[in-house]
Amino acid sequence: MKLIYIAAVDSKKPESFGVGKKIVGQVKALNKLNVESELVNIENDRVNINGKVVGEKLKKPKYMFFHKYLIKNYNEIFKDKECVYIRYYSNDIFLYYLIKKLRKDNKKIVLEIPTYPLDVTNNGFIKKVIYEVINIYVRKNLKKYVDYIATTNSNYDEIYGIETIKINNGIDIVENKVVNKKKSDNIIRLVAVANLSKWHGYDRVITGIGKYNKNINGKKKVVFHIVGEGAEKENLINLSNRLQLNDFIHFEGAKSGEALDNIFNQMDIGVSSLALFRAGGGHDPIKTKEFLARGLPVILGYDDKLVDMSLPYVIKVPENDEPIDIDKIVERFNNLNDNCYDIRKYAEENLSWESQMNKIINKINREKK
């Protein structure tokens, strides 16, 4: 089968590093499953077709003009493809026209909706009204053209009247290098990597370290490294300053590649999402799996759908707004007997993208028979 993956995501923008890695991981997994797959996305505001940047710089909103470009160059891009997989996060009218054209051409169409229900993100009353009018129209008619919706954060059997395929966020194991670090006798380093938002709950770690430090005599020093940019960064910086924790909270900015690997090689524990309830819950963060793939124990504030929550190196904290109990984290870490290679092996055997994307391919292949 020949498949093309469409994603209106700019892989070179810091705020999209995480999503971009996920998409690349999915495409690699499909190719490993013997599905000949190409990726079309955005790179530095231009269309990127399987690694080749083409066309003029996209106007804003980029996703609309991205989909318009695909329609204009339809024959060249889609001519020999049997299946089209679309990361779908906006009821954009140009994407709707593209989907109609794909169906007319007898392509199999799978939409992935990473967050459902879709949010209205436009500012201003008129823009919101226009968006909602388009939204209602598209929502009502998608079932005429789309075969399946892949969903990673819901238990819906149908979305927009279309059968769902439930998958979980897997990871590209190879892209996550195992850490090369031994336990320190006097310091524990925590690390978080994200497009910083309130629902990550990193404020809970900062306030937890503040409480821990009030009675730190004879205890290990705990330091928290925050990697990434985002709307919540300024609030986290202000909180750290207010609690006088500048020696314990380090903001590293957005990192990727070797620079990110170097940071990980200094770390002891990964910090995943700690406040998903602030976003209504139902999400399936990828960071938990990536930390495990690197051989790090992980702290999380939710039940991960793909990870065995009983593992000693999976440390769940209460799902609330209270400061994290750092004493308990230190105790759990000190009692761990598993090394980074034990943790890595678990990830290799259980958390790959191949296992998730295979659900979609199997569904399509069964329908063909």
Side-chain angles (χ1 to χ4, degrees):
M1 182 193 301
K2 289 188 176 183
L3 179 148
I4 190 164
Y5 190 125
I6 305 299
V9 174
D10 196 324
S11 59
K12 294 300 182 180
K13 301 298 182 183
E15 63 272 17
S16 299
F17 282 167
V19 174
K21 283 178 62 179
K22 169 185 172 179
I23 291 167
V24 169
Q26 289 178 299
V27 174
K28 284 185 177 180
L30 288 166
N31 280 302
K32 287 179 181 178
L33 293 167
N34 297 317
V35 177
E36 188 178 331
S37 303
E38 296 181 359
L39 172 62
V40 180
N41 63 345
I42 303 173
E43 182 175 314
N44 288 326
D45 302 323
R46 295 172 65 193
V47 177
N48 180 37
I49 301 178
N50 213 37
K52 182 181 179 181
V53 175
V54 298
E56 301 295 326
K57 186 174 180 179
L58 296 169
K59 300 176 183 177
K60 293 184 178 180
K62 287 189 292 184
Y63 64 88
M64 289 182 62
F65 288 95
F66 170 75
H67 296 134
K68 190 175 182 181
Y69 179 91
L70 300 186
I71 294 171
K72 185 178 179 180
N73 297 274
Y74 179 89
N75 289 334
E76 178 185 352
I77 297 170
F78 298 99
K79 59 184 177 183
D80 61 344
K81 303 300 183 293
E82 301 166 69
C83 181
V84 183
Y85 190 96
I86 302 171
R87 183 177 171 87
Y88 192 82
Y89 61 91
S90 174
N91 286 315
D92 161 35
I93 197 67
F94 286 111
L95 178 55
Y96 177 68
Y97 291 151
L98 174 62
I99 289 170
K100 286 182 67 176
K101 193 172 181 66
L102 291 166
R103 170 53 72 214
K104 188 176 181 181
D105 205 18
N106 294 317
K107 311 290 188 186
K108 286 291 178 185
I109 303 171
V110 179
L111 304 186
E112 180 186 303
I113 298 184
T115 302
Y116 180 79
L118 296 173
D119 296 323
V120 177
T121 56
N122 293 295
N123 295 321
F125 176 76
I126 294 177
K127 284 186 177 180
K128 286 183 178 180
V129 169
I130 293 172
Y131 178 94
E132 189 55 29
V133 169
I134 294 172
N135 185 39
I136 292 171
Y137 176 78
V138 172
R139 212 162 40 190
K140 181 179 178 181
N141 289 281
L142 273 178
K143 61 185 177 183
K144 300 176 184 176
Y145 313 108
V146 174
D147 294 283
Y148 301 105
I149 288 180
T151 176
T152 59
N153 70 330
S154 77
N155 291 316
Y156 292 95
D157 294 325
E158 287 188 353
I159 294 176
Y160 305 149
I162 302 165
E163 182 182 349
T164 62
I165 304 173
K166 300 179 184 69
I167 63 174
N168 294 301
N169 279 332
I171 53 172
D172 182 353
I173 300 288
V174 176
E175 286 297 311
N176 293 276
K177 294 181 180 178
V178 67
V179 296
N180 181 22
K181 185 181 186 297
K182 295 180 180 179
K183 284 186 179 181
S184 169
D185 292 332
N186 55 12
I187 187 169
I188 296 176
R189 295 189 180 275
L190 314 180
V191 61
V193 184
N195 179 22
L196 305 175
S197 303
K198 286 184 178 180
W199 53 266
H200 289 122
Y202 300 150
D203 55 292
R204 299 182 64 195
V205 179
I206 295 173
T207 53
I209 291 175
K211 290 185 68 175
Y212 177 81
N213 284 357
K214 289 180 180 178
N215 184 26
I216 199 171
N217 291 337
K219 298 192 294 188
K220 288 187 177 182
K221 181 180 178 181
V222 176
V223 178
F224 185 28
H225 296 256
I226 299 175
V227 181
E229 301 291 340
E232 186 66 5
K233 183 175 181 179
E234 186 175 353
N235 292 332
L236 297 174
I237 291 173
N238 291 338
L239 176 61
S240 177
N241 291 338
R242 189 166 67 250
L243 297 176
Q244 299 181 333
L245 294 174
N246 293 331
D247 291 337
F248 301 88
I249 313 298
H250 300 287
F251 295 89
E252 306 287 355
K255 302 290 182 184
S256 61
E258 185 177 351
L260 182 59
D261 292 338
N262 290 338
I263 290 175
F264 270 113
N265 281 334
Q266 305 170 48
M267 299 299 135
D268 297 293
I269 305 176
V271 180
S272 189
S273 299
L274 305 177
L276 287 178
F277 54 87
R278 295 176 183 172
H283 294 70
D284 183 21
I286 199 169
K287 283 290 173 265
T288 298
K289 293 97 168 172
E290 290 180 337
F291 289 135
L292 294 173
R294 287 186 179 269
L296 289 177
V298 63
I299 306 167
L300 68 167
Y302 67 99
D303 288 321
D304 193 284
K305 299 173 184 176
L306 203 56
V307 173
D308 181 351
M309 297 298 293
S310 68
L311 293 168
Y313 42 82
V314 176
I315 306 169
K316 186 185 177 185
V317 298
E319 297 180 58
N320 56 41
D321 285 314
E322 295 299 313
I324 299 302
D325 189 333
I326 301 297
D327 283 291
K328 288 185 178 180
I329 300 298
V330 172
E331 181 182 3
R332 285 284 299 271
F333 181 72
N334 287 338
N335 290 331
L336 279 179
N337 294 317
D338 303 272
N339 62 42
C340 59
Y341 296 102
D342 294 330
I343 302 174
R344 169 70 169 210
K345 184 179 179 182
Y346 170 79
E348 289 175 340
E349 293 175 351
N350 296 278
L351 307 179
S352 73
W353 265 121
E354 287 94 316
S355 64
Q356 300 307 305
M357 301 309 289
N358 199 41
K359 297 177 185 178
I360 292 163
I361 300 308
N362 283 342
K363 188 76 171 180
I364 293 171
N365 287 337
R366 279 199 299 268
E367 186 182 293
K368 284 182 177 180
K369 293 178 181 179

